[in-house]
Structures are given as C-alpha cells and as structure tokens.
Amino acid sequence: MSTLHFDRHVAEQPDTVRRLLTDPEVPALDPGRPIVFTGIGTSLHAAQIAAGWVEALTHGRVRASAVNAHDLAVTSAVQPTDQVVVISHRGTKRYPNMVLRKASEVGAATVCITGVGQAEPEANLVLRTCPQEKASTHTVSHTAALTVLARLVGALLEDAASELIDALRDVPGQLERALAFRPSAAAVDALVRDEGVPALIAGTGTDAITAQEVALKLKEGTYRWVEGMHTEFALHGTPAVFRPGMSAFLIAPSGEDGGRYEDLSGFLGKLGARVLRCADDDHADLRFARTHPLMRPIVATLPFHLLVSEVAREVGSSPDLTHFEAEAWKAAFSQVTL
C-alpha cells in the first residue's frame, strides 16, 4: 500500500529542524515557578523528554513535570503559579484544549506548541511548528515539537542549557545522514514475519521514552503489536511472556546503564528470541547518526520511521491511514471523539 505522505514527512525532518532553530521566537519561562509539560500519545512523549532535559541540565534545581493531558484535564490540579506547556500536533484534541481552559481559569501561564493550521488554541502564546501532516502516523511534527521544546528549555535555563542548544544545531545534518541508513533485512523480516507475535523495544533513560514513541509509530504504521519500555522494566515480570522466536529491538545506551543492555540481550538470546540492535555504528540493525546524548530523542527515532515504511510496503498496511482504510476500524472510531 502507498506510503507517499508518510515517506515525504519523514524526509522533511532535516529541513524542518533547520528552520525551527531560529523560527519561531520562544519565550523565557520563569525558572522559579513550576513548569508542567503535557500532551497525549506522541505529544506526551515529547513532554516527558522536555521535562527530562530540565531535570538533567539543572539536577532538579528547576522543577518540571510531564503529565498526561487527560489526567491534567480531568483529575489533576493546576495551580495559579504553574506554567503549563501543552503539546498538540493539530491543536484540536479535546483534553489538551481542556487543559488550556482549566489553566486559564486559575490564572496559570499557558503556552501551546502546535502545527500550522486553522486551530487557534486558547493559550497565552501559541508556537507553531510545521504544516499539518497528511499521514496519520506523525513523524515530522514530533521532531518539530521536540526542536521547539529544546529551544524553550534553552531560553528557560540560559547558560545552563548551552550544551543542549549547541547540540541541537548539529541535528539537521545528523538527520540528513541518517536518512541513508536503511534498516537491516533482519529488522524488516522481524515484523513482516511475526504477525500476531508481540515485539519489544527497550532503552534506558530518555531512550526508554523513545522506545515507547517508536513502538506507537510501528503500531500505527504496520498494524503489528509492539511494546516499548525501559530496559530495567523489561527485566521485571515482563520476562514471563518472552518466548522463542519473538523479536526485540534494543537501543544501545550512550553511557553507563549498569550493564542492563547486556543483561536483557543475553536473557532474550538464551530464550531463542531475535535481538536487533539500534545504535550509532555500522553494525546496528537500525542505525542512527552519532549525536550528543541529549539529542538522541530526536535523532534515534528516525531509523524506526524508515522501518515503518519498509514493513508497511511488505505487509500492505498504511502509515498514512492507520487502519482507517478498513471499514470496521473506521466505523468503530466514528463513535469516539478525540
């Protein structure tokens, strides 16, 4: 099945990041007030990365959290002193907009990071990223949101974030190089052949968030069940469902992980699982460009986008339509308002 829109959006990532290095202008939030990053799905993953950057760069001195927009809208409290940053691809979803209204009602400061489109979120400031994607499996808009979030963190922390901003400038070139790194035949075959057999993606630190994000992309674009989680979590309880022949995509750590990458790889290998390696070297089954550890959430997603495209062509799925081309899925989802 055609993946024309999806493939085009994947290829747009380098130029999109390059433009967003300077445009739009971003505000300087107050480091003395709590910052709440929020979104749903892919946007929640971006929120978690942003909160992680703040934590890593300030060692917890600046308080930032990432909260699911549904929970923040329905059950969690928003305080007048909060600075609420909502990430939303289209700016139209119910719960992110409920968060903005809830925050406004108590007098909290609000920023919305969203794509270029007709939606006008009710925020104190709206930061536009890129044109709306025509593919339902979002790629470039996630990369764009992370780029704007990095700049937002840079403006917030100033000198403390110089390492982050310096590393961000190199990302467009790194993404361009990574577009030429095709997934190995083994990586493609792992998902083409294993219909009905869940696959695992695991990583440590922010790579764990990347694992969750790219698992969602593979679900949307290939219709295979893929689970993303922290490497340590994968060693607790989860081994009960590991089985011979299953596939596991393990993101090699950029630093010390207590030996857990090797532990998980060895455990899976002894069970007869297929272990596929995602890393920044020539021997990886899924290769991404070498980058600063802070930029891995942006750069390490791209090989999985390429994997989605190749698997979709083999199995006849559509990353553009995410199963809405099938009447059963279309009818069922017509009853749900996102």
Side-chain angles (χ1 to χ4, degrees):
M1 190 172 291
S2 173
T3 60
L4 287 178
H5 293 308
F6 178 83
D7 290 342
R8 177 168 58 81
H9 295 319
V10 171
E12 289 169 348
Q13 292 181 75
D15 286 342
T16 298
V17 173
R18 188 173 286 112
R19 175 181 60 79
L20 291 171
L21 293 177
T22 56
D23 180 38
E25 292 186 20
V26 299
L29 299 179
D30 184 351
R33 295 168 58 188
I35 305 163
V36 182
F37 297 99
T38 185
I40 291 175
T42 291
S43 294
L44 176 59
H45 298 152
Q48 292 169 328
I49 293 297
W53 281 333
V54 175
E55 167 68 24
L57 293 167
T58 69
H59 305 286
R61 176 178 54 82
V62 177
R63 308 305 299 174
S65 60
V67 183
N68 186 298
H70 173 274
D71 295 343
L72 193 57
V74 176
T75 59
S76 299
V78 178
Q79 301 299 325
T81 54
D82 288 343
Q83 301 170 102
V84 179
V85 181
V86 171
I87 304 104
S88 175
H89 293 292
R90 304 196 188 283
T92 59
K93 296 295 188 291
R94 177 196 299 185
Y95 292 110
N97 280 303
M98 284 179 64
V99 168
L100 289 173
R101 288 192 292 272
K102 183 175 182 177
S104 178
E105 287 170 0
V106 300
T110 55
V111 176
C112 182
I113 297 174
T114 190
V116 177
Q118 294 182 344
E120 294 292 343
E122 298 176 16
N124 298 136
L125 180 64
V126 177
L127 301 176
R128 303 285 182 176
T129 56
C130 62
Q132 297 296 336
E133 291 176 270
K134 293 185 178 180
S136 295
T137 304
H138 291 144
T139 55
V140 65
S141 58
H142 177 61
T143 302
L146 284 173
T147 303
V148 174
L149 284 165
R151 291 187 56 216
L152 196 69
V153 171
L156 167 74
L157 302 180
E158 297 181 326
D159 289 347
S162 60
E163 185 178 11
L164 176 75
I165 297 304
D166 288 345
L168 182 63
R169 296 189 185 101
D170 294 329
V171 166
Q174 292 162 355
L175 292 174
E176 284 176 341
R177 289 193 293 278
L179 285 171
F181 301 155
R182 311 311 301 182
S184 71
V188 176
D189 182 65
L191 293 174
V192 170
R193 194 160 56 122
D194 286 352
E195 183 174 13
V197 179
L200 170 70
I201 305 176
T204 302
T206 56
D207 288 339
I209 304 169
T210 296
Q212 295 172 44
E213 166 60 17
V214 297
L216 176 58
K217 300 301 101 173
L218 286 161
K219 290 173 188 171
E220 291 174 321
T222 72
Y223 312 163
R224 286 349 192 202
W225 185 271
V226 184
E227 191 69 25
M229 64 183 68
H230 196 289
T231 303
E232 184 68 21
F233 190 95
L235 287 165
H236 291 262
T238 310
V241 298
F242 292 165
R243 64 191 66 180
M246 70 170 284
S247 299
F249 296 81
L250 304 187
I251 304 174
S254 61
E256 179 57 50
D257 76 337
R260 285 317 213 188
Y261 173 88
E262 297 298 337
D263 289 341
L264 181 58
S265 178
F267 189 103
L268 288 161
K270 287 179 181 177
L271 285 180
R274 287 180 289 177
V275 179
L276 301 126
R277 186 164 169 270
C278 182
D280 60 2
D281 59 65
D282 293 342
H283 304 293
D285 292 286
L286 290 176
R287 181 185 176 190
F288 55 87
R290 186 155 297 177
T291 190
H292 190 287
L294 290 169
M295 291 294 103
R296 279 167 70 101
I298 301 179
V299 176
T301 59
L302 196 142
F304 289 95
H305 296 161
L306 299 176
L307 180 63
V308 167
S309 184
E310 297 208 12
V311 173
R313 276 191 282 271
E314 292 285 336
V315 303
S317 59
S318 174
D320 287 355
L321 300 175
T322 61
H323 232 152
F324 284 101
E325 72 278 8
E327 187 57 40
W329 276 261
K330 185 177 180 181
F333 230 98
S334 68
Q335 308 300 312
V336 180
T337 300
L338 296 181

